[in-house]
Amino acid sequence: MSNARQHMMPVYNPPAEVFERGEGAHLFTEDGKQYLDFIAGIAVNALGHSHPDLIAALKGQTDKLWHLSNMFRTPGAEQLADKICERTFAERVFFTNSGTEAVECALKTARKYHWANGAPERVDIVTFSGAFHGRSLGAINAGGNPNYLEGFGPALPGFKHIEFGDHETLDAAVDDKTAAVFVEPVQGEGGVRAIPETCLTALRALCDERGALLIYDEVQCGMGRTGQLFAHEWAKDAAPDIMCVAKGVGGGFPFGACLTTEAAGAAMQPGSHGSTYGGNPLAMAVGNAVWDIVSAPDFLAQVREISAVMAQGLKSLEDRHPDKVLGVTGKGLLTGLRLKSAPKPVQNACREAGLLVGVAGDNVLRMAPPLIIDQTHVRDAVSIIDDVLSAWQPAD
Ligand SMILES: *Cc1c(COP(=O)(O)O)cnc(C)c1O
């Protein structure tokens, strides 16, 4: 397989291993080597690999109906939208194929809301440093990461980027031109940083006071990942007007959704928006199965329990390697170790030892294991990272 990548646009630079099969929290390469998967397709495989209920849901649907487009009604999408709206702040759902498309729908919905309410000048989207909202032109402009914008033409107007945690600048930035404040309750890519719960509550109040909408990007931190069905549910009185979900909601089948309140979504009418594949029956079959499992209170309680074990394990690494680990970061099972220097060598050494983890920000080793992990998985992962950190000589 050594030349097999020559026709891939080289925007990724994967290691040599070729993965063939997954089972629960483990992955297997072509040559049979086993890996413990603590990144789960970047927080996508919420129920691990090859979950029997998801396989059954997908197989059941493959024999019935694959695609119709939104020209026609299908049961799966309406059922899932009902379940989502029964359990969350949402009253309207638009299904997409990815997180980025959920983000695009959210940004359009926010601007259209103000346009329809007599304030077409309200177009600004306020976002935070370290944000990641996807890779479309709209999403990279919302994210504001200069690395992702370079070479892709002029920055789009209508986006304001605020330093994470700078309350004063935020207060000044949300004005009568603001359409929405757009934020990840726990930043993933930006370094696995959780916004304090009291800040989310204050942000909700600020948006209400200024007439701006509040949009959450829960593409990565939602769907049980932090131990609540959605991460903002940890905070009091902090429900959004609009929320983007994807990744975990499909458990490995690509789909996402933009959720809105009745009021925030009211201007999105026939012709306002669309997606050929959105609400595809295969995706909806898997999505319904994932939702039924992850939204169960006992399942979420189990995620909170294993999250505490994980936090303890990571804390022990911080205690044992104070010269190399600056701290533990994140929330629930979206978590990381802030290291003294760039985390790539640690990530590579972990992989060689049979543990797959991610990186985030400048110096964070990111972990987003399947939500179904048990104590043995955590113990194995912590022990591998411990050995790797012992051998690691951080660059100064
Ligand atoms: C991954 C991610 C996205 C983009 O989702 P895609 O499915 O890759 O388009 C958007 N926002 C956040 C917070 C993400 O983690």
Side-chain angles (χ1 to χ4, degrees):
M1 295 249 346
S2 58
N3 273 333
R5 277 190 60 77
Q6 66 182 336
H7 295 118
M8 301 284 288
M9 185 185 279
V11 291
Y12 286 98
N13 185 23
E17 286 90 346
V18 181
F19 292 93
E20 189 178 57
R21 185 168 73 78
E23 199 182 308
H26 288 102
L27 280 166
F28 300 86
T29 53
E30 284 183 328
D31 43 18
K33 190 170 173 203
Q34 174 178 304
Y35 293 80
L36 182 55
D37 183 8
F38 263 45
I39 190 63
I42 316 188
V44 166
N45 300 92
L47 299 175
H49 301 278
S50 305
H51 191 288
D53 291 13
L54 305 198
I55 292 174
L58 185 58
K59 283 188 173 165
Q61 187 62 42
T62 55
D63 290 351
K64 285 191 208 159
L65 179 63
W66 285 24
H67 179 74
L68 268 182
S69 93
N70 293 301
M71 285 170 67
F72 301 106
R73 296 175 60 187
T74 51
E78 293 178 12
Q79 278 161 7
L80 183 53
D82 283 350
K83 289 176 194 171
I84 291 171
C85 292
E86 202 170 293
R87 172 61 180 75
T88 71
F89 78 97
E91 291 159 303
R92 290 273 187 260
V93 179
F94 179 81
F95 289 111
T96 67
N97 309 292
S98 68
T100 304
E101 289 165 274
V103 166
E104 292 288 340
C105 179
L107 300 178
K108 287 176 71 177
T109 301
R111 285 185 175 170
K112 193 93 177 198
Y113 165 87
H114 292 292
W115 175 86
N117 284 283
E121 71 284 1
R122 279 190 178 264
V123 295
D124 285 348
I125 308 289
V126 175
T127 65
F128 297 86
S129 59
F132 180 77
H133 300 298
R135 298 294 203 134
S136 66
L137 276 173
I140 58 176
N141 277 278
N145 182 337
N147 295 331
Y148 297 162
L149 283 160
E150 188 181 42
F152 297 117
L156 298 180
F159 294 94
K160 276 190 186 174
H161 307 292
I162 305 298
E163 200 55 43
F164 188 90
D166 181 350
H167 294 148
E168 237 166 78
T169 310
L170 172 65
D171 188 72
V174 182
D175 57 21
D176 55 10
K177 298 280 187 319
T178 305
V181 176
F182 185 28
V183 63
E184 296 154 85
V186 185
Q187 284 191 344
E189 175 107 359
V192 197
R193 289 192 291 189
I195 297 192
E197 288 156 28
T198 51
C199 291
L200 283 185
T201 305
L203 190 56
R204 173 71 272 179
L206 177 73
C207 287
D208 286 343
E209 182 197 306
R210 307 281 163 84
L213 297 179
L214 177 59
I215 311 175
Y216 290 145
D217 182 341
E218 291 227 19
V219 167
Q220 189 159 161
C221 63
M223 211 50 196
R225 178 126 310 263
T226 67
Q228 298 285 358
L229 186 54
F230 292 102
H232 73 268
E233 292 173 9
W234 285 104
K236 208 167 153 291
D237 298 327
D241 301 292
I242 301 174
M243 182 163 79
C244 312
V245 302
K247 292 199 166 107
V249 294
F253 201 96
F255 91 91
C258 174
L259 322 182
T260 82
T261 60
E262 176 76 41
M268 298 300 267
Q269 290 296 325
S272 298
H273 197 53
S275 165
T276 297
Y277 289 122
N280 170 281
L282 299 170
M284 295 298 102
V286 180
N288 272 287
V290 173
W291 185 272
D292 292 345
I293 296 171
V294 174
S295 66
D298 287 353
F299 184 91
L300 293 168
Q302 175 62 29
V303 175
R304 291 194 289 276
E305 246 168 68
I306 198 68
S307 295
V309 177
M310 180 84 176
Q312 217 170 36
L314 295 179
K315 183 73 180 66
S316 76
L317 292 172
E318 183 186 356
D319 293 344
R320 282 173 47 75
H321 304 277
D323 51 329
K324 299 172 183 172
V325 178
L326 303 179
V328 178
T329 176
K331 198 161 191 156
L333 290 181
L334 178 53
T335 182
L337 283 179
R338 192 167 295 285
L339 302 179
K340 187 169 169 246
S341 67
K344 266 275 168 204
V346 175
Q347 181 193 30
N348 288 336
C350 284
R351 191 183 69 256
E352 275 154 30
L355 173 70
L356 302 179
V357 294
V359 296
D362 296 329
N363 62 347
V364 174
L365 196 69
R366 168 167 43 166
M367 278 153 271
L371 307 181
I372 46 120
I373 52 166
D374 61 27
Q375 300 211 14
T376 312
H377 298 127
V378 174
R379 204 181 50 220
D380 291 352
V382 168
S383 148
I384 289 174
I385 299 170
D386 189 20
D387 291 346
V388 166
L389 288 175
S390 296
W392 181 47
Q393 304 290 339
D396 284 314

